[in-house]
Amino acid sequence: MSSKSILVLHGPNLNMLGLREPEHYGSATLESINQSLTSKARAANIALETFQSNSEGDLVTKIQSLATHKVDFVIINPAAFTHTSVAMRDALSAVKVPFIEVHLSNVFAREAFRHHSYFTDIAVGIISGLGAQGYALALDYAIQHIDRSN
């Protein structure tokens, strides 16, 4: 049996967590979020890879790589690309890997332009507004999903 794996994708500006608008995004850094997720996945015997980019093209390329380097699940925070990236949406549709969309802030309680997502209708689910805990909850679900699928 092949090993179980999850890819966590972080979009633009998430490398600035801990510094950037803590009233919206909290004080946790991206590094601390990734370390917590890696530990939790390791305890569940699941390989976890994290990837962050401020470049839409890099994120599309990473998603497209899943066509040949399969993972069991994706957790994605598209950040600002949530509202603009048809390219990332199309890549996720093409590779057919189940995914959860995560947002640190409650996008529905913010500016109107943040209310639309190009991903939500093709995602397994969305977690919004729970800060860094949203990633942990997404990982819990992904682990259960993988266990049910195997």
Side-chain angles (χ1 to χ4, degrees), residues 6-9 63 66 71-78 82 85 88-103 117-127 138-139 141-142 145:
I6 295 171
L7 173 63
V8 181
L9 293 172
I63 294 166
L66 301 179
V71 297
D72 296 292
F73 209 91
V74 171
I75 297 168
I76 183 171
N77 182 342
T82 301
S85 187
M88 286 174 58
R89 175 199 169 86
D90 288 350
L92 283 163
S93 291
V95 298
K96 297 181 176 19
V97 176
F99 71 94
I100 291 179
E101 179 181 351
V102 173
H103 298 284
S117 168
Y118 280 101
F119 303 90
T120 303
D121 66 312
I122 61 171
V124 171
I126 179 174
I127 299 172
L139 182 57
Y141 179 86
H145 177 85

Side-chain angles (χ1 to χ4, degrees), residues 41-67:
R42 188 177 300 122
N45 200 30
I46 292 179
L48 186 127
E49 178 185 0
T50 62
F51 181 81
Q52 187 277 328
S53 181
N54 295 317
S55 167
E56 182 180 28
D58 290 347
L59 290 161
V60 169
T61 299
K62 186 66 173 177
I63 294 166
Q64 288 177 351
S65 76
L66 301 179

Side-chain angles (χ1 to χ4, degrees), residues 1-29:
M1 175 171 22
S2 64
S3 64
K4 304 171 200 172
S5 61
I6 295 171
L7 173 63
V8 181
L9 293 172
H10 305 284
N13 298 311
L14 293 172
N15 57 307
M16 299 294 293
L17 289 176
L19 301 172
R20 178 180 175 232
E21 301 175 271
E23 69 277 11
H24 289 299
Y25 304 111
S27 59
T29 64

